[in-house]
Amino acid sequence: MNLGVIGQAAGLFAVTNIDDILILALFFAQGAGHRSSTRRIVLGQYLGFAAILAVAVAAAFGATFLPESAIPYLGLLPLALGLKAAWQAWKDHRDGGENDEAEAKERGPGSLEVAAVTFANGGDNIGVYVPVFATAGVGGMSVYAVVFLVLVAVWCFAGKFFATRPVIAKALARWGHILLPVVLIAIGLLILIEGGAFGL
């Protein structure tokens, strides 16, 4: 296995996914104290990233499941989830933060929510990965895919690590319910605006 290709794959992943660490930290903070939230977040991250990889690999082979003009509209996913999280935060604040215990146990992000945000936030990564995959050949593409999937686990660990540092955890516990919707809405709007969706 070529160490140069592994290094390139690791560098490409880091550069294109650096913002995911913040989002993962917010998700882990939101799921703190809730049963199986870590499993749901990691599963969602893998599902979302596997979808990005599948679309990029297919496009590298000439298939276009996702027309380039559709990519900016992926911003609607984090925008909708951000608005939903903002509504929930407002509702909790209005109700004085009183939720029954059964609902509290179910709180925290679901796998599909995490997957949707990961996929939408990585929509622009597809445009970067396709030419790299197309020139790497099947062997090189396999190395990229394996390295990327290993690094998804590293990213999840980093997100959980940051979310559980006392100073960061305290800040996220206090402000996370506000920060998560703001970040998701900002990501959604950024994807829509940068991609020129709706003539923006």
Side-chain angles (χ1 to χ4, degrees):
M1 201 178 276
N2 187 336
L3 288 177
V5 176
I6 293 172
Q8 289 168 6
L12 182 62
F13 182 90
V15 167
T16 55
N17 292 288
I18 196 71
D19 53 341
D20 273 355
I21 291 179
L22 169 64
I23 296 165
L24 281 166
L26 287 167
F27 279 140
F28 281 118
Q30 187 187 30
H34 301 295
R35 284 184 294 175
S36 72
S37 67
T38 297
R39 186 166 35 90
R40 289 197 309 268
I41 293 165
V42 171
L43 175 62
Q45 184 72 3
Y46 266 101
L47 287 173
F49 198 81
I52 291 169
L53 266 183
V55 171
V57 167
F61 283 118
T64 50
F65 296 123
L66 197 63
E68 201 170 313
S69 59
I71 289 177
Y73 295 95
L74 290 174
L76 293 171
L77 289 169
L79 181 62
L81 290 169
L83 291 171
K84 179 185 170 202
W87 169 255
Q88 185 63 51
W90 178 79
K91 212 168 81 168
D92 288 350
H93 176 73
R94 190 193 63 190
D95 296 342
E98 291 174 8
N99 290 319
D100 71 9
E101 204 171 312
E103 187 186 339
K105 283 179 185 168
E106 293 303 313
R107 293 283 297 280
S111 295
L112 293 180
E113 285 178 272
V114 176
V117 171
T118 302
F119 184 73
N121 192 38
D124 56 338
N125 295 8
I126 294 167
V128 177
Y129 297 161
V130 170
V132 173
F133 287 179
T135 56
V138 175
M141 208 183 304
S142 302
V143 173
Y144 273 92
V146 169
V147 171
F148 284 4
L149 292 173
V150 168
L151 288 176
V152 167
V154 173
W155 250 234
C156 289
F157 175 80
K160 176 100 178 187
F161 176 81
F162 287 123
T164 55
R165 295 308 89 200
V167 173
I168 298 172
K170 189 176 176 184
L172 290 176
R174 183 167 183 185
W175 300 106
H177 67 289
I178 295 169
L179 199 53
L180 182 66
V182 168
V183 168
L184 292 180
I185 290 168
I187 287 169
L189 290 174
L190 196 64
I191 293 168
L192 290 168
I193 292 166
E194 283 187 350
F198 303 114
L200 297 171

